[in-house]
Amino acid sequence: MKITFYGSRGSIATPLLLNEYHKKTKAILNLYKDSQIKDIDDFFATLPLELSQIFGGNTACITIEDDGEDILILDAGSGLRELGRKYTSVNNKTFHILLSHFHWDHICGIPFFKPLYNPTNTIIFYSPNIDLIENLKRQQHPSHFPLSFDKLPAKKKFVILNEQNPYSLNGYKIFHIELNHPGGSTGYIISKDDKKVSYATDTEFTPENIDEKSLFFKACFESSDVLIMDTQYSLTEFFSKFDWGHTSSTMAVNLALEWRVKRLVLFHSDPEHTDEDMIKILRDAEEQIKQFNKRQLKIILAVEGHCIEI
Ligand SMILES: [Zn+2]
Ligand SMILES: [Zn+2]
């Protein structure tokens, strides 16, 4: 399975600001000036994470692919536009879009997804929410967007994930669960052969609410090869944003350790966070694991364009 990130920011798309760009390029040029390595590509390979990457302009969108099968897409935030650009000249393709919920940051890429403008393509939307179609139409009401959802030329299908759980799709088993978020959110546990990818974004795990369902969540997420999880806040921020529907990175690491996850992806970063803030959250999470030192849990900060192969 190949997992690719097209959008990892939470709440609203957050492009790199000019002052942040200048700060990064100045730091890179200063390092280059003093470096013995003058080949640009070789030099770039030596850069630390904070200078070699930018973290999260686009909002939630991730693909899961396996051996050229149809593409599974987790959420349709602004990153979906970038994904669609890869398929502008591809015909007869089927895309499966699993939606966590209908907050803007998870659906705003739909009107800009180029494959929806090609009548030979099929786009299948999945959600347990019975208002799935209405919620998508509402986003493209004439007062919000010039073209209605109905008029998008691709073939559109809708699957309400209620009865079948797990749902079988091209060899994938897709199990969905309810998460704790204002207005509701859906988590997905996707497995194929012996691989398991879990997606739990827009969810507030607290010691209190996890307590009631701790065995259920453990059974769901246990031994995930990859857990992509809402870590919008640092622990300090979480205390002032209690009940806002998002999880702290500290809590996510604790849960990932308890659930014996192999790789935890820090996802749905706060739009107020600079790249430096996110690196700090990553380093703090790595420190937290060192304290346990019982097993290897790899922490990954979601970066657009980054692929994880399992
Ligand atoms: Zn969100
Ligand atoms: Zn949300």
Side-chain angles (χ1 to χ4, degrees), residues 256-274:
L257 285 166
E258 189 190 324
W259 297 336
R260 302 193 299 131
V261 164
K262 295 184 186 122
R263 277 172 272 203
L264 169 67
V265 181
L266 309 179
F267 187 73
H268 203 277
S269 48
D270 194 285
E272 296 299 318
H273 285 170
T274 63

Side-chain angles (χ1 to χ4, degrees), residues 10-11 101 103 105-106 181 201-202 232 246 268:
S11 307
H101 63 314
H103 284 165
D105 51 326
H106 298 260
H181 190 62
T201 193
D202 293 62
Q232 180 141 346
H246 299 286
H268 203 277

Side-chain angles (χ1 to χ4, degrees), residues 28 88 217 262:
I28 292 169
T88 37
F217 285 129
K262 295 184 186 122

Side-chain angles (χ1 to χ4, degrees), residues 24 69 86 90 117 131 141 166 252:
K24 263 187 214 279
E69 292 286 343
K86 281 176 66 180
V90 175
Y117 292 79
D131 296 324
H141 183 277

Side-chain angles (χ1 to χ4, degrees), residues 27-46:
I28 292 169
L29 289 170
N30 275 326
L31 281 178
Y32 185 68
K33 200 174 59 181
D34 300 333
S35 173
Q36 304 295 316
I37 305 166
K38 292 301 169 193
D39 178 87
I40 299 279
D41 289 329
D42 290 347
F43 169 73
F44 254 82
T46 68

Side-chain angles (χ1 to χ4, degrees), residues 8-67:
S8 59
R9 183 70 71 167
S11 307
I12 189 167
T14 311
L16 191 73
L17 295 174
L18 187 62
N19 67 327
E20 293 168 324
Y21 163 72
H22 282 169
K23 200 170 157 192
K24 263 187 214 279
T25 45
K26 276 183 197 164
I28 292 169
L29 289 170
N30 275 326
L31 281 178
Y32 185 68
K33 200 174 59 181
D34 300 333
S35 173
Q36 304 295 316
I37 305 166
K38 292 301 169 193
D39 178 87
I40 299 279
D41 289 329
D42 290 347
F43 169 73
F44 254 82
T46 68
L47 287 176
L49 194 59
E50 54 271 33
L51 296 179
S52 63
Q53 305 288 348
I54 51 175
F55 300 95
N58 281 310
T59 63
C61 183
I62 300 163
T63 57
I64 297 180
E65 295 166 273
D66 195 33
D67 297 337

Side-chain angles (χ1 to χ4, degrees), residues 168-278:
S168 295
L169 175 68
N170 295 343
Y172 293 101
K173 259 179 27 181
I174 301 170
F175 186 69
H176 71 271
I177 59 167
E178 195 182 320
L179 297 172
N180 175 36
H181 190 62
S185 178
T186 302
Y188 292 100
I189 295 108
I190 299 166
S191 46
K192 187 171 190 185
D193 304 325
D194 57 344
K195 305 292 181 200
K196 179 171 170 182
V197 179
S198 300
Y199 182 58
T201 193
D202 293 62
T203 182
E204 182 168 346
F205 284 117
T206 63
E208 290 74 29
N209 71 27
I210 196 100
D211 221 22
E212 303 158 19
K213 290 184 164 181
S214 64
L215 290 176
F216 171 72
F217 285 129
K218 188 169 187 195
C220 290
F221 295 119
E222 180 135 51
S223 305
S224 295
D225 291 284
V226 176
L227 169 63
I228 302 158
M229 189 153 169
D230 180 342
T231 54
Q232 180 141 346
Y233 306 133
S234 66
L235 188 61
T236 320
E237 289 164 338
F238 176 77
F239 289 122
S240 62
K241 291 176 176 176
F242 189 72
D243 252 2
W244 286 29
H246 299 286
T247 297
S248 74
S249 47
T250 310
M251 184 70 182
V253 171
N254 283 342
L255 292 172
L257 285 166
E258 189 190 324
W259 297 336
R260 302 193 299 131
V261 164
K262 295 184 186 122
R263 277 172 272 203
L264 169 67
V265 181
L266 309 179
F267 187 73
H268 203 277
S269 48
D270 194 285
E272 296 299 318
H273 285 170
T274 63
D275 285 5
E276 279 99 352
D277 294 331
M278 283 190 263

